Amino acid sequence: MTDAPKIKALLFDVFGTVVDWRSGVARDVKAFLSRHALSIDALEFADAWRREYVPAMEEIRSGRRPFVRLDVLHRENLVKVLSSHGITSVPPEEVDELNLTWHQLDPWPDSVEGLARLKRRFMIAPLSNGNIRLMLDMAKRAGLPWDAILGAEVVRAYKPSPSAYTDTVDILGLDRAEVCMVAAHNGDLAAARGCGLKTAFIVRPTEHGPAQTSDLRAEQAWDFLATDLNDLATQLGCAN
């Protein structure tokens, strides 16, 4: 295991690691579908919306499209999913409102307490693909005690592009080995490790629902492996 005293900052993936995006999106989608008398499963709709996430960001990572914030991509993806279900006559302001569901996601039960414990010893900030306003709204609603809001919009790069990690560390004025990336996704951690960051894997076995097949276990020997953020705080010597 890594020597924890050398770590000065923890950077966090947010969607799936700190918050339960699937349940939150489905909650607001269900209300939307009910208002429009649409017999579509809200969880399936949430999953379809999320499936557009990586392809949309890849357009930017590949250089085929200039950087735009995630709110823009989420709205474009929402219109695609609505259209795929034959829903084309929703007023734009209602589409905008539904798009804000990503700003209103609930934390996992351990997240607020775990982050508060970690904050006592380390600098903590999101390194998320979510944009600044999204992260701020989510933090205000959920009580996430970040020291700063960092991530894709700040460095104009989406994970897992190397600059998303290295430029964020540069903003903190730290060496890469002094920063630990915390995520429930092996791919995110592999990219961070490739840039010289320390890594902590948090197991979130129901991020994608009860039939989840991905990221159920650590795929590399990450520096830390924890069942949740409280477990990580304990491993890193943070008091209750």
Side-chain angles (χ1 to χ4, degrees):
M1 287 292 181
T2 295
D3 185 8
K6 295 180 181 178
I7 297 173
K8 296 181 179 178
L10 303 173
L11 298 174
F12 294 79
D13 171 71
V14 175
F15 299 119
T17 301
V18 177
V19 300
D20 177 5
W21 64 265
R22 188 173 188 259
S23 297
V25 171
R27 174 196 63 217
D28 290 351
V29 164
K30 183 177 181 179
F32 168 86
L33 295 172
S34 178
R35 287 196 303 272
H36 290 273
L38 297 166
S39 57
I40 301 168
D41 184 84
L43 286 167
E44 290 180 4
F45 190 102
D47 291 338
W49 195 354
R50 179 69 172 185
R51 281 195 295 271
E52 298 291 338
Y53 176 75
V54 171
M57 289 187 298
E58 184 56 30
E59 289 298 300
I60 294 169
R61 285 194 294 256
S62 68
R64 291 188 292 269
R65 180 179 184 180
F67 183 88
V68 296
R69 64 177 60 96
L70 188 60
D71 273 344
V72 174
L73 297 181
H74 271 159
R75 193 186 190 285
E76 293 173 354
N77 295 340
L78 174 57
V79 171
K80 287 182 183 179
V81 176
L82 289 169
S83 180
S84 73
H85 286 90
I87 308 168
T88 58
S89 58
V90 179
E93 58 271 18
E94 194 169 353
V95 176
D96 291 340
E97 181 182 0
L98 183 56
N99 196 45
L100 291 176
T101 185
W102 295 94
H103 293 226
Q104 302 165 9
L105 303 177
D106 294 328
W108 294 111
D110 57 278
S111 291
V112 174
E113 181 184 3
L115 288 175
R117 290 175 62 193
L118 291 162
K119 179 185 173 79
R120 296 185 193 121
R121 183 171 181 185
F122 304 99
M123 292 180 275
I124 65 167
L127 200 180
S128 172
N129 285 327
N131 48 278
I132 297 169
R133 178 61 186 273
L134 191 164
M135 289 291 111
L136 285 172
D137 287 347
M138 185 190 298
K140 283 287 190 183
R141 180 181 180 277
L144 305 176
W146 304 124
D147 289 312
I149 301 294
L150 302 175
E153 189 177 12
V154 178
V155 298
R156 313 293 283 182
Y158 283 115
K159 297 184 300 180
S161 298
S163 60
Y165 306 94
T166 58
D167 291 359
T168 300
V169 172
D170 287 345
I171 287 170
L172 290 172
L174 297 173
D175 294 332
R176 296 175 191 179
E178 296 176 317
V179 179
C180 181
M181 183 72 203
V182 183
H185 312 116
N186 286 281
D188 198 352
L189 296 180
R193 172 173 279 178
C195 294
L197 281 68
K198 302 303 180 186
T199 53
F201 181 71
I202 307 297
V203 182
R204 297 297 190 194
T206 61
E207 175 191 354
H208 297 281
Q212 179 169 320
T213 59
S214 61
D215 293 312
L216 296 175
R217 61 191 60 83
E219 295 175 1
Q220 295 187 36
W222 306 121
D223 297 295
F224 301 94
L225 172 61
T227 56
D228 61 24
L229 294 183
N230 272 314
D231 181 26
L232 179 64
T234 297
Q235 291 186 42
L236 291 173
C238 301
N240 288 316

